[in-house]
Amino acid sequence: MAPNRTSHQEKIIRNYYQNRDAIGLQKAQEAVTELYLSEGKKRATVWKRLCSHLEKVGVSEARIEELRESDDPAAVAALLEKIAK
């Protein structure tokens, strides 16, 4: 049985899915900032979250793995800058 939603709720859901790429890009950019500042276990956690956001903006798994292995926030930032344009 489908949930009963108001037209306002339907609009919010529709807007979220229309802007999903932009939201993913923003979250990835925020994660890169955290990556610059983190070390140790925290850095591993940030990488995990960043990989998820990169997938959502359409970065291939192979490219994500390359970035993760290099552990270079500047390379990720450069990639996100290209995507944002």
Side-chain angles (χ1 to χ4, degrees):
M1 185 169 157
N4 294 328
R5 297 186 185 113
T6 66
S7 61
H8 177 69
Q9 290 169 327
E10 290 289 340
K11 184 177 175 184
I12 290 170
I13 293 167
R14 188 172 43 255
N15 286 339
Y16 170 80
Y17 284 104
Q18 287 175 347
N19 296 310
R20 191 171 175 185
D21 291 342
I23 293 167
L25 181 61
Q26 180 182 352
K27 298 275 187 185
Q29 290 168 334
E30 291 169 2
V32 169
T33 302
E34 284 186 56
L35 193 60
Y36 273 109
L37 303 172
S38 62
E39 297 176 349
K41 287 183 181 179
K42 172 74 174 170
R43 191 172 184 94
T45 303
V46 173
W47 264 114
K48 185 175 179 182
R49 189 170 59 246
L50 178 57
C51 290
S52 172
H53 295 309
L54 290 173
E55 287 175 2
K56 289 177 185 172
V57 296
V59 178
S60 70
E61 287 186 35
R63 182 69 176 128
I64 292 170
E65 192 56 37
E66 287 174 19
L67 292 168
R68 192 172 190 162
E69 287 176 7
S70 71
D71 195 24
D72 182 9
V76 181
L79 175 66
L80 291 175
E81 193 173 319
K82 285 181 189 178
I83 291 172
K85 290 182 179 182

